[in-house]
Amino acid sequence: MKAKEARPGFGLLSILLAAVGIAPLLNYGLSATSDLVIRDLGLSESQFGLLATACFGCAAIGNVAFGKFSDRQPDSRLMLIIFGTAALAMALAAVDAGYVMLLAASGIAGFAQSFPNGVTNRILAQRVPSAQRITWTGIKQSGVQVSQLVGSLGFPMLAAVIGWQGASLAGAVLAAALAFFALRIVNATPFLASPAPKKSSPVTAKTSTPVVDEASSTRFIIYALCLFGFINGVGVQATNVYLALFAVRELDFSLVAGGLTAAVAGIVGVSARVGWGRMMSRGVAAPKLLLLLAVLAMCGGATFLLAGQLHSSVLLWVAVALHGASALGVSVVLMAGLLRVVPANRLGSASGLVSAGQFGGFTVGPLAMGLLVGSAGGFTAGWICVIGVYLCCTVLGIFLVLRAARKA
């Protein structure tokens, strides 16, 4: 088979998934061992939440600041930056130097999350046939939930033997090894043959109005997806960061069992992202899926609230499943929506903007939840606010569905 006819295989898909998932590994690992980290360092709940805030705040800044930079860089260099920065962050977290060092490590892990969506979307657009593209988007976006699974199970198990800092060092070694494989696989995967340039139509030759309208519509879609990602992101990380702590403190789970709740959310999230990606590949409109996910996420928040009020572990597992199937599935719909409307040479900056919206929400969620959990209202106040956040997503989803129906 000639190189230009070679079809990308499992190796490329695996490394795309790893690129999306490696940077959040530190955050998920710390969340899964939160009770241990808080006790070891003598932190308050809000101080612990500030770790995630620093991580996602740096990610939001990085996605905006480095969007155009990533458009100009080769894929292999960006892969090296992603895995190398993630390895550095986890290595610093393993250093026994107190809270400030852990805060710095979290910020570096955030900057590592500035590039994965843009470069992986571009690789899909330039090296993967269109018939596979949207389905692969769902799979590679599930890398975040694979990371949640690995961090939520691996960190508590390793922490029981070598401590949470030792677990972080193991994550750094994993990231360094994956960097080697990423460079080899990306460099070995050829670009698709460029299509022949289309002839200019009379409409575009005589007037720029249709082009302007199309550009305006594309901008609206990008900003709408950015806003939805921000609002959903608040609820996602308010839940993710404090899920294990909620299980341990409110429902008397062990540290490992508490980590298992986040791991199960990750497992469900992987399946959900693949499933939502397949639905998108069959032509389902993004606004309809976003509305469905918002409603399911709101139900999940209500179930978390009931689980705490009734001290019910059964309701907690139901809530975990709803959270994983809904809120954690939003990212694939956002990225698949971009792939449908944004040219490959702009995917870095467009993906960066939408990702910045998500990470902006990720920044607000843990800090706000930490303040609420540490207040007199406790987790009850936190879950009520999470429900309100997803209600806002539902309202925005209804607006997008109605707008799409008017334009149809």
Side-chain angles (χ1 to χ4, degrees), residues 42-408:
L43 307 179
S44 67
E45 289 82 358
S46 59
Q47 284 178 311
F48 180 77
L50 187 60
L51 295 174
T53 297
C55 174
F56 297 127
C58 289
I61 293 170
N63 271 282
V64 173
F66 300 132
K68 291 184 178 179
F69 167 82
S70 64
D71 280 338
R72 297 191 297 267
Q73 302 304 310
D75 299 332
S76 57
R77 184 176 299 164
L78 291 176
M79 284 291 187
L80 186 60
I81 291 173
I82 292 166
F83 288 104
T85 310
L88 174 61
M90 286 185 277
L92 289 176
V95 177
D96 188 13
Y99 178 65
V100 174
M101 178 65 80
L102 191 58
L103 195 63
S106 296
I108 293 171
F111 282 119
Q113 297 180 58
S114 303
F115 306 99
N117 283 331
V119 68
T120 56
N121 283 346
R122 187 172 69 192
I123 288 173
L124 287 176
Q126 295 181 337
R127 306 186 193 223
V128 177
S130 57
Q132 299 173 264
R133 203 168 291 155
I134 299 298
T135 300
W136 276 35
T137 301
I139 296 173
K140 65 99 173 173
Q141 289 301 131
S142 69
V144 176
Q145 270 54 67
V146 171
S147 178
Q148 184 174 9
L149 172 61
V150 172
S152 299
L153 284 180
F155 265 63
M157 293 175 66
L158 288 173
V161 180
I162 57 177
W164 61 269
Q165 289 168 319
S168 182
L169 183 59
V173 173
L174 174 64
L178 287 172
F180 171 76
F181 290 108
L183 292 178
R184 290 194 62 181
I185 291 170
V186 169
N187 289 333
T189 305
F191 288 89
L192 298 173
S194 301
K198 296 180 180 179
K199 295 181 180 179
S200 300
S201 66
V203 175
T204 55
K206 293 179 180 179
T207 176
S208 62
T209 301
V211 176
V212 171
D213 290 344
E214 183 179 353
S216 177
S217 179
T218 300
R219 282 196 300 273
F220 173 84
I221 292 171
I222 293 172
Y223 289 129
L225 295 179
C226 177
L227 178 59
F228 195 99
F230 172 81
I231 301 172
N232 179 76
V234 173
V236 165
Q237 292 304 333
T239 302
N240 278 346
V241 171
Y242 288 95
L243 176 54
L245 190 64
F246 174 67
V248 170
R249 289 194 177 177
E250 301 296 314
L251 298 177
D252 303 319
F253 280 37
S254 68
L255 184 67
V256 174
L260 185 61
T261 60
V264 170
I267 293 171
V268 176
V270 169
S271 301
R273 288 192 174 195
V274 173
W276 300 132
R278 286 177 177 169
M279 289 185 69
M280 290 285 288
S281 69
R282 295 183 187 127
V284 177
K288 292 181 179 179
L289 276 184
L290 291 175
L291 175 57
L292 173 61
L293 295 179
V295 172
L296 290 175
M298 190 165 53
C299 293
T303 309
F304 276 120
L305 178 62
L306 286 175
Q309 295 297 307
L310 301 177
H311 203 75
S312 171
S313 58
V314 173
L315 285 177
L316 174 62
W317 290 114
V318 173
V320 165
L322 285 170
H323 172 65
S326 57
L328 298 186
V330 165
S331 179
V332 64
V333 181
L334 299 179
M335 293 303 133
L338 286 178
L339 281 172
R340 284 181 173 174
V341 300
V342 179
N345 62 350
R346 290 180 52 205
L347 272 172
S349 51
S351 299
L353 183 59
V354 174
S355 297
Q358 289 184 280
F359 286 118
F362 293 171
T363 303
V364 173
L367 183 59
M369 190 70 165
L371 292 172
L372 290 168
V373 170
S375 72
F379 275 103
T380 298
W383 294 130
I384 290 173
C385 287
V386 167
I387 294 168
V389 165
Y390 290 132
L391 177 60
C392 293
C393 282
T394 301
V395 172
L396 178 56
I398 291 172
F399 169 76
L400 294 176
V401 168
L402 293 177
R403 181 182 182 275
R406 286 197 305 268
K407 293 178 70 69

